[in-house]
Amino acid sequence: MTTLGKSGLEVSRICFGTWQLGGEWGSFDEDAAIGAIRHARDLGVNFFDTAQAYGFGAAESLLGKALRDDIRRDRDSVVIATKGGIEPGGERPRNASREFLRRGVEESLRHLGVDHIDLYQVHWPDSDTPAEETASALQELVDEGKIRHVGVSNYDTAQLAEFDRTRPVETLQPPYHLFRRGIEADPLPYAREHDIGVLVYSALGSGLLTGALRPDSTFEASDWRSQSSAFQGENLRRNLAVVDELKEFAAGKNATVSQVAIAWVLAQPGVHVAIVGARRARNIEDSLAAADLDLTDADLAEIERITAKGVQVEGASPEGVA
């Protein structure tokens, strides 16, 4: 468990993420996914992250269904985070206007089946909406009791500072893994300086760091990775060669490569939580064990040496896939 920065929220260091349950990662078994969420809860996970854009409410509804008993028995036993302010495929993919956010919060409350959202995050920065409007709109929703805490996702330092001028940013959700390290220069230092709780997504590189992929791996057309340069050609081959070396290192720690990748993220100064998705109950156990894996300074140096041979990659955005 950890305190999520200035939000004061007490959360598990492993957060169950639900992007994979919104239809952008190919088909999945809904009952198995619900079982995975419930199993995570049984194992002590109290932090769950979703978004309005994950299937336009589909992932939120599934999460609400899976947590229904916990919500009814003790609402404060679970910390539910969701995100709004984007509409992929729409005329305006990024929309953090007061009207759109307010409508999104109402829809998320309905999909989740709750009377308040513990942490509401702006999914992506919107250059067409003044930060003052976005921040003040979310503060209004806090004042009304519909959301408890305010965060942002995919913001850089300048955008965080601009938002902060109207109301404090309590949390930040950026992408971060061994093949995507841009936040180390910006905005992680700002987050540390301002006690912003950091929950990172894609700790496993959207599958790159699971050890399950091969150079000839393919993806369903509905899986966004089928369009990503990170999962094709030389980029994929080079990074999977790095993963093979990491597997050997992990074996020496009596761990899996996934556990090492998650533990590495959690070992970075300023990172409070790693968001990890799962579609089956057995997948979450491996991830939870990573929170107890201690990496020494020598371990971290060896991981740096191995991953220096890799290729830095990008991911998906509201406008498409890099």
Side-chain angles (χ1 to χ4, degrees):
M1 302 293 287
T2 189
T3 302
L4 192 57
K6 69 178 70 173
S7 77
L9 291 166
E10 294 292 330
V11 298
S12 47
R13 295 207 75 193
I14 300 297
C15 173
F16 192 107
T18 62
W19 184 13
Q20 76 282 2
L21 308 180
E24 296 173 85
W25 295 74
S27 57
F28 66 95
D29 184 318
E30 181 175 315
D31 290 338
I34 289 173
I37 294 169
R38 290 177 174 163
H39 190 51
R41 186 72 193 98
D42 290 341
L43 293 172
V45 172
N46 78 329
F47 196 16
F48 299 84
D49 179 77
T50 187
Q52 178 187 16
Y54 298 165
F56 299 98
E60 289 178 324
S61 295
L62 192 150
L63 180 62
K65 182 178 180 181
L67 295 177
R68 184 66 55 237
D69 289 346
D70 292 273
I71 291 168
R72 288 174 177 167
R73 182 173 56 251
D74 182 4
R75 174 64 184 86
D76 291 337
S77 68
V78 290
V79 177
I80 297 175
T82 191
K83 301 179 287 291
I86 66 168
E87 190 176 9
E91 292 184 6
R92 186 176 173 181
R94 306 184 188 208
N95 188 346
S97 66
R98 174 176 276 101
E99 178 185 1
F100 192 78
L101 287 176
R102 179 168 286 277
R103 185 166 72 247
V105 166
E106 296 292 351
E107 291 175 356
S108 292
L109 288 168
R110 185 172 66 255
H111 289 141
L112 288 162
V114 295
D115 61 2
H116 71 272
I117 294 162
D118 298 292
L119 173 62
Y120 197 80
Q121 305 152 98
V122 183
H123 206 151
W124 283 82
D126 170 18
S127 60
D128 293 330
T129 300
E132 180 180 5
E133 178 182 341
T134 299
S136 61
L138 292 175
Q139 183 58 49
E140 290 167 7
L141 289 159
V142 170
D143 294 340
E144 294 169 18
K146 294 179 179 178
I147 62 178
R148 293 276 177 88
H149 300 278
V150 172
V152 298
S153 181
N154 299 297
Y155 273 48
D156 62 25
T157 293
Q159 292 158 342
L160 287 169
E162 188 176 12
F163 194 106
D164 266 339
R165 284 194 280 272
T166 299
R167 74 95 66 201
V169 176
E170 296 175 76
T171 67
L172 169 69
Q173 183 178 148
Y176 191 41
H177 55 79
L178 283 163
F179 298 129
R180 191 173 185 183
R181 300 180 59 173
I183 71 164
E184 293 173 358
D186 178 357
L188 191 54
Y190 182 94
R192 286 197 298 261
E193 180 183 352
H194 292 82
D195 193 25
I196 295 172
V198 176
L199 52 155
V200 304
Y201 71 85
S202 292
L204 293 176
S206 301
L208 283 172
L209 290 155
T210 62
L213 296 183
R214 297 169 53 87
D216 59 353
S217 291
T218 59
F219 305 90
E220 295 180 30
S222 58
D223 189 320
W224 69 271
R225 293 174 296 180
S226 67
Q227 305 299 319
S228 173
S229 61
F231 295 90
Q232 299 174 25
E234 186 62 18
N235 285 350
L236 181 62
R237 284 191 292 273
R238 281 184 58 181
N239 284 343
L240 290 186
V242 169
V243 172
D244 285 340
E245 283 197 59
L246 286 173
K247 284 181 183 178
E248 295 182 17
F249 169 82
K253 301 285 293 182
N254 293 316
T256 66
V257 66
S258 295
Q259 289 169 338
V260 166
I262 295 168
W264 177 86
V265 163
L266 292 175
Q268 304 310 304
V271 174
H272 298 81
V273 169
I275 302 173
V276 181
R279 291 181 173 179
R280 293 177 177 82
R282 67 176 181 270
N283 300 140
I284 196 64
E285 295 183 11
D286 190 61
S287 297
L288 286 175
D292 295 321
L293 178 61
D294 291 325
L295 298 176
T296 66
D297 289 343
D299 291 334
L300 294 171
E302 179 63 6
I303 292 170
E304 291 285 341
R305 185 194 69 78
I306 294 171
T307 56
K309 307 168 189 175
V311 180
Q312 290 292 295
V313 299
E314 296 297 322
S317 74
E319 290 76 30
V321 179

